[in-house]
Amino acid sequence: MSYLIVTNNPKVNETFDNVLFTEETYENVLVRTRNLVHEGFELISHPLAASIRMLFSPYCSVIIGQKNSGINPFHVETIENSIIKYRRLTEQRNIDNINSEDYALIDIKLLENALNLFRST
C-alpha cells in the first residue's frame, strides 16, 4: 500500500520522497488533507497531534493512503472534526514560531513513528 505525506514541515520535505509539500499554515495542511479525503483518499495518521501543546506548532504532517473508489465517512468525520477542534483551540493563542526548529524536529519524529507503525501492519 502506498502513502503520501501532506506537510508544511521543510524537514519532512527534505527527508521523505512521498510528500505533498506546502509553505502554508498548519490549518491549511488540515484543509488540504480534508480535500483529499473528500476525493477518496484514506487517513493513515490522525490529523492532530496527541498533545494540545503541539497544536501551537507551525508544522503539521498527515499521512494519507491510497485513493479509493468511495469516500470513507469515518475519515471525513475525523478530518472535519480535527479542523473544527484546531480552530477552536487556537483562536485565542498565537502559533509558537519562536520554537519552530524544535517543533519541526518533534513533528518529524512523530511522523517517523507513525510510518513505522503503518509499515509494520
Side-chain angles (χ1 to χ4, degrees), residues 18-34:
N18 302 346
V19 175
L20 176 58
F21 180 74
T22 179
E23 292 183 358
E24 297 174 334
T25 65
Y26 190 126
E27 184 176 345
N28 290 118
V29 171
L30 295 177
V31 170
R32 279 183 154 222
T33 302
R34 181 205 54 205

Side-chain angles (χ1 to χ4, degrees), residues 88-116:
R88 188 177 69 237
L89 291 172
T90 58
E91 67 185 6
Q92 299 298 322
R93 297 202 44 197
N94 294 323
I95 301 303
D96 182 1
N97 289 308
I98 294 170
N99 298 301
S100 63
E101 287 297 314
D102 294 334
Y103 283 120
L105 180 62
I106 293 168
D107 181 62
I108 202 167
K109 291 299 180 186
L110 292 170
L111 178 65
E112 287 170 348
N113 286 335
L115 281 172
N116 287 336

Side-chain angles (χ1 to χ4, degrees), residues 20-104:
L20 176 58
F21 180 74
T22 179
E23 292 183 358
E24 297 174 334
T25 65
Y26 190 126
E27 184 176 345
N28 290 118
V29 171
L30 295 177
V31 170
R32 279 183 154 222
T33 302
R34 181 205 54 205
N35 294 345
L36 291 168
V37 168
H38 279 280
E39 290 177 19
F41 288 87
E42 57 187 22
L43 285 175
I44 301 299
S45 66
H46 197 281
L48 297 178
S51 166
I52 289 179
R53 182 70 186 133
M54 284 301 293
L55 292 178
F56 302 105
S57 165
Y59 301 115
C60 176
S61 298
V62 182
I63 307 167
I64 58 173
Q66 63 191 17
K67 184 175 182 178
N68 298 311
S69 58
I71 296 172
N72 184 320
F74 177 73
H75 292 184
V76 169
E77 183 179 2
T78 300
I79 188 64
E80 294 287 355
N81 287 339
S82 295
I83 293 169
I84 291 166
K85 184 178 282 187
Y86 177 81
R87 287 175 177 162
R88 188 177 69 237
L89 291 172
T90 58
E91 67 185 6
Q92 299 298 322
R93 297 202 44 197
N94 294 323
I95 301 303
D96 182 1
N97 289 308
I98 294 170
N99 298 301
S100 63
E101 287 297 314
D102 294 334
Y103 283 120

